[in-house]
Amino acid sequence: MLAFLTRRKETAVPETTTAPVAPKSNVLMRFLTQGGATVELRKEAKRGRLVYPYLCMGCDYEFDNYSSIVDARGEANEHAASCRAMPKPTA
């Protein structure tokens, strides 16, 4: 029998990519940038009111002046669509 036709046992493929670790556990949504980094939309309480900041894990751009999740989601998505930052290397 030919060697390339021989049935082999299934072997697990090692995971080669890992999701970025969120700095806080209050992440509501994640968007992917053009370069493959992640933009995270979070929910936080500041000065007695809720704000929805977003942070780009590639270029470190952060914006947190939104009191509306609809506006924040739109801005985070727009940033992800135009940002070409790649994920930061992990050590």
Side-chain angles (χ1 to χ4, degrees):
M1 185 176 231
L2 299 174
F4 68 90
L5 294 177
T6 305
R7 178 168 264 183
R8 298 180 186 152
K9 291 196 313 187
E10 291 287 325
T11 57
V13 177
E15 187 66 35
T16 57
T17 59
T18 58
V21 177
K24 298 179 183 174
S25 62
N26 52 358
V27 175
L28 298 175
M29 297 176 208
R30 289 188 176 101
F31 302 94
L32 192 61
T33 67
Q34 295 287 323
T38 305
V39 176
E40 294 182 343
L41 177 62
R42 300 176 298 199
K43 179 170 112 175
E44 295 179 359
K46 289 190 177 179
R47 294 183 218 125
R49 67 183 186 108
L50 288 177
V51 293
Y52 300 94
Y54 66 89
L55 172 66
C56 181
M57 306 302 267
C59 71
D60 289 331
Y61 181 75
E62 185 171 13
F63 196 75
D64 66 351
N65 287 337
Y66 287 109
S67 58
S68 166
I69 191 169
V70 175
D71 293 339
R73 181 181 59 207
E75 286 291 323
N77 194 20
E78 285 179 24
H79 178 81
S82 63
C83 182
R84 299 193 188 286
M86 295 175 61
K88 293 178 184 169
T90 57

